[in-house]
Amino acid sequence: MIAKIVKPGHNTRGVLNYLYRTGRAHDHTDPHLAASWDGFAPDPGRDPDATLAQLTAALDLRVKQAGDKAPKGHVWHCSIRAAPEDPHLTDAQWATIARRVLHTTSIAPAGDPDACRWVAVRHADDHIHIVATKVRGDLRPPRNWNDYLRADNELAAIEKEYGLRRVVRGDRTAAQRPTRAEQEKALRTGHATTARERLRTTVRTAVTTATGTEEFFAILSGTGVLVDIQHFPSGDIRGYRVALPDDTNAKGEPVWFSGSTLAPDLSYPKISQRLTSTALAPTSRRSGGRRTAWQEVTDAVGQTPAVLDDTDDAAGQAHITVLAETLDTLPLIAPAGYQPQLSQAAAAFERASRSHIRARHQQAQATRRAIKAIVREPAPTDGALLAILLDALLVAVVATQHWHRTRHHDQQAEAAHRTAEHLRATYQAAALQPLAVIHQRGLRLAVTVRQRQAALVRHALPDHAEQILNEPGWPALAATLADAQRVGHDPTALLAEATRRRELNTATSISEVLVWRLRRSAHLSATPHDPPAPDKRRTPPAVPAAQSATRPSSDSARRR
């Protein structure tokens, strides 16, 4: 069930006129009272002798008695709607629901003789409207602060008790939705998304790219976005606001948005906290070879599921924030063909990146530095690196979905699920070519080598061995096992580790899953003798000012 509480009004008769109106322009049928404050209120819908004027006068009685002490917005109006698939509720059931909502919001507490007067009007099968006048019997206003959250919590309990559809609920950490006026303005100006949404995407990407607040503002200005930095009298930065040059008000002035109105985590203090101590550090060296930023990020992302399982919530939230920054970065540097789907994945995960848990960002600073280094290094020539990173991201996002679900972060878990769909489709496209290369090398292996690899799989994974050996992806896995042995790894240990990190029963192709797990663990490229990437740095790519958050696709990609 969904509750909608509108801004308090001052015209009781006007609201009742709308609720009792019927005709072709309205879906109102058989409007009538489902309940009222005393059970005896006049009902113009069912009683031929009752009128709207009588009902209005009864509701407004205390408002008239309070005179100048009555609140200016004395009409409290709440609609409650059931889901289309919910069972048909009777008037008596709707009456009970209305009384529970009125009680929890303190408009009409149960058993209070001075409670506000109210009516519940039903003019359709799937919803009711509650109208109350906000003057109590003692002529004081009700203490109904935070009424929407209280009503929503009560409806969640009602859904469970009545067996209704469980609505995905948030924790008040979502970014502010565009207003209807903003949406209509975007349509008039030919934009797919509102100015608020375009600015949010641009600012998020600038935060991901920058290594400090000074660079953040420089990158933001370089996109063509208007930036206004506010300072304290001391000269320290107090905050900032941004606007699009082509988004103006009736006076021709830019429409400004502060960072906190774009999203809770885009205020200046929170951005400054995330950018503290993220100066670029040289990538590490293993086995005498330089590790690229792509490999560092892939290693870090690959550890995310274990981190979410083993660390406290504050550290877990920090790694989820960094995971969002990785997704924000990829559309800037991935091949053009993958950028639209990756942008959709990043837009979907934006909601999953925040919760009421305060992140301890210092726990994830090493990963954050590696992400910022990605945009300053040449793109890898090894096509398998993108596939391996996408595979690691997919597993990390699924782990994030589980992390949120176990903490009852419903909206975040749903957002992570949508993100996984986009990543799965992108991975399948990106993995096609490098997997074919590895597959061909597997077909060229000597028969005795492939037999040894088959024996190894039967020993290490007896429950899955026959399925793996009969899959089309088996030659690629055989080649990967041979590559791992060639550089000194124990393939049995690698297989055990890959199996431990993710159960395999839901995988469509176990061999394909293991190829990327093993290549990531053993740091293998698609071709055994690829030259190392040059140690040449580059400036970050431009952050497009008009990036738009595309609505995630509803098509589900197949599970691997």
Side-chain angles (χ1 to χ4, degrees):
M1 284 189 159
I2 296 176
K4 181 180 180 181
I5 300 175
V6 301
K7 184 178 179 180
H10 64 277
N11 188 348
T12 307
R13 176 63 182 268
V15 177
L16 295 176
N17 282 341
Y18 165 74
L19 297 181
Y20 276 91
R21 188 181 304 159
T22 59
R24 288 185 303 172
H26 302 272
D27 62 353
H28 304 175
T29 58
D30 186 25
H32 62 278
L33 292 186
S36 65
W37 73 94
D38 62 356
F40 298 103
D43 183 4
R46 292 286 175 87
D47 184 354
D49 296 325
T51 65
L52 285 175
Q54 291 174 333
L55 181 57
T56 302
L59 284 169
D60 278 346
L61 175 63
R62 291 170 177 171
V63 178
K64 301 294 185 184
Q65 292 172 342
D68 294 340
K69 294 182 179 180
K72 291 182 179 180
H74 66 266
V75 181
W76 188 83
H77 181 192
C78 171
S79 62
I80 304 174
R81 185 178 297 273
E85 64 270 25
D86 282 341
H88 181 87
L89 299 178
T90 65
D91 279 0
Q93 289 173 315
W94 277 117
T96 300
I97 292 169
R99 290 189 177 94
R100 289 178 63 170
V101 169
L102 288 159
H103 171 76
T104 194
T105 57
S106 297
I107 294 292
D112 184 354
D114 287 330
C116 297
R117 293 191 168 196
W118 60 272
V119 293
V121 179
R122 183 178 187 182
H123 56 205
D125 289 339
D126 63 349
H127 69 279
I128 60 169
H129 291 259
I130 305 173
V131 179
T133 46
K134 295 176 59 177
V135 178
R136 292 168 42 82
D138 53 15
L139 303 187
R140 292 186 295 113
R143 302 171 66 88
N144 65 309
W145 297 299
N146 216 16
D147 50 5
Y148 173 77
L149 183 61
R150 293 178 180 179
D152 196 52
N153 289 339
E154 187 66 22
L155 290 179
I158 290 170
E159 289 167 354
K160 185 176 181 180
E161 293 174 26
Y162 282 66
L164 306 177
R165 175 185 170 186
R166 306 291 291 275
V167 174
V168 175
R169 289 181 160 83
D171 55 3
R172 311 189 97 179
T173 61
Q176 182 177 334
R177 292 182 179 180
T179 65
R180 182 172 180 178
E182 290 173 351
Q183 294 171 333
E184 291 175 350
K185 185 177 183 180
L187 290 175
R188 288 196 310 269
T189 55
H191 292 289
T193 54
T194 64
R196 184 193 300 271
E197 292 168 310
R198 285 179 282 153
L199 285 169
R200 181 186 303 138
T201 302
T202 303
V203 172
R204 284 181 63 85
T205 309
V207 173
T208 300
T209 305
T211 57
T213 55
E214 186 176 343
E215 187 180 13
F216 163 69
F217 288 123
I219 292 174
L220 208 52
S221 299
T223 66
V225 169
L226 303 178
V227 182
D228 178 29
I229 304 174
Q230 289 104 34
H231 296 82
F232 289 110
S234 63
D236 294 332
I237 296 177
R238 178 170 61 89
Y240 74 100
R241 58 179 185 165
V242 289
L244 294 175
D246 60 349
D247 182 39
T248 57
N249 58 23
K251 298 180 180 179
E253 301 168 337
V255 178
W256 294 96
F257 295 87
S258 66
S260 60
T261 61
L262 296 177
D265 57 346
L266 294 183
S267 66
Y268 177 75
K270 292 189 176 180
I271 288 176
S272 178
Q273 184 182 28
R274 285 165 63 186
L275 293 180
T276 300
S277 303
T278 53
L280 295 177
T283 50
S284 62
R285 294 178 177 272
R286 292 188 187 177
S287 303
R290 180 179 176 276
R291 303 282 293 149
T292 68
W294 278 71
Q295 292 167 319
E296 295 284 355
V297 170
T298 301
D299 289 345
V301 170
Q303 294 302 316
T304 299
V307 169
L308 294 180
D309 285 341
D310 300 337
T311 61
D312 58 60
D313 283 358
Q317 179 61 58
H319 281 84
I320 291 173
T321 303
V322 170
L323 184 60
E325 294 176 12
T326 308
L327 291 166
D328 287 335
T329 300
L330 279 184
L332 298 177
I333 54 180
Y338 307 130
Q339 289 175 6
Q341 193 83 320
L342 289 173
S343 295
Q344 291 178 329
F349 198 75
E350 188 266 344
R351 181 65 192 100
S353 66
R354 290 185 304 274
S355 72
H356 60 81
I357 297 170
R358 170 170 277 182
R360 194 162 57 243
H361 291 296
Q362 62 267 31
Q363 296 289 330
Q365 290 295 58
T367 307
R368 183 171 281 113
R369 284 193 290 269
I371 293 169
K372 296 180 188 301
I374 278 183
V375 297
R376 292 166 171 82
E377 284 196 353
T381 57
D382 185 350
L385 276 180
L386 177 60
I388 292 173
L389 176 55
L390 290 173
D391 176 85
L393 282 169
L394 179 56
V395 177
V397 167
V398 172
T400 300
Q401 179 184 350
H402 174 73
W403 190 87
H404 280 309
R405 184 179 290 119
T406 57
R407 288 156 182 80
H408 306 290
H409 302 163
D410 295 339
Q411 288 187 354
Q412 292 91 331
E414 176 63 24
H417 173 72
R418 294 196 307 270
T419 305
E421 291 180 348
H422 291 295
L423 285 177
R424 189 172 287 111
T426 309
Y427 159 78
Q428 289 167 356
L432 202 58
Q433 191 276 334
L435 198 62
V437 173
I438 304 170
H439 182 86
Q440 288 300 318
R441 287 216 320 273
L443 293 177
R444 292 194 296 268
L445 289 176
V447 174
T448 55
V449 174
R450 290 174 65 174
Q451 288 174 340
R452 284 199 301 271
Q453 306 306 341
L456 188 152
V457 169
R458 288 190 176 96
H459 173 72
L461 303 174
D463 294 337
H464 301 287
E466 294 310 314
Q467 179 181 341
I468 292 172
L469 297 177
N470 287 291
E471 288 178 348
W474 160 240
L477 178 57
T480 298
L481 290 169
D483 290 344
Q485 285 180 308
R486 188 180 301 113
V487 297
H489 287 282
D490 178 1
T492 303
L494 289 177
L495 284 171
E497 172 66 12
T499 306
R500 185 186 68 81
R501 273 184 285 178
R502 178 185 187 238
E503 55 85 19
L504 300 176
N505 293 327
T506 61
T508 303
S509 174
I510 298 177
S511 55
E512 184 179 328
V513 170
L514 292 175
V515 164
W516 301 124
R517 299 295 189 279
L518 267 58
R519 301 197 83 80
R520 185 169 80 231
S521 299
H523 310 301
L524 301 173
S525 62
T527 52
H529 305 295
D530 284 344
D535 190 17
K536 182 172 129 186
R537 302 279 173 175
R538 62 184 175 97
T539 56
V543 179
Q547 283 192 49
S548 57
T550 313
R551 295 179 63 186
S553 168
S554 60
D555 296 333
S556 297
R558 66 176 177 87
R559 299 180 70 187
R560 289 186 297 109

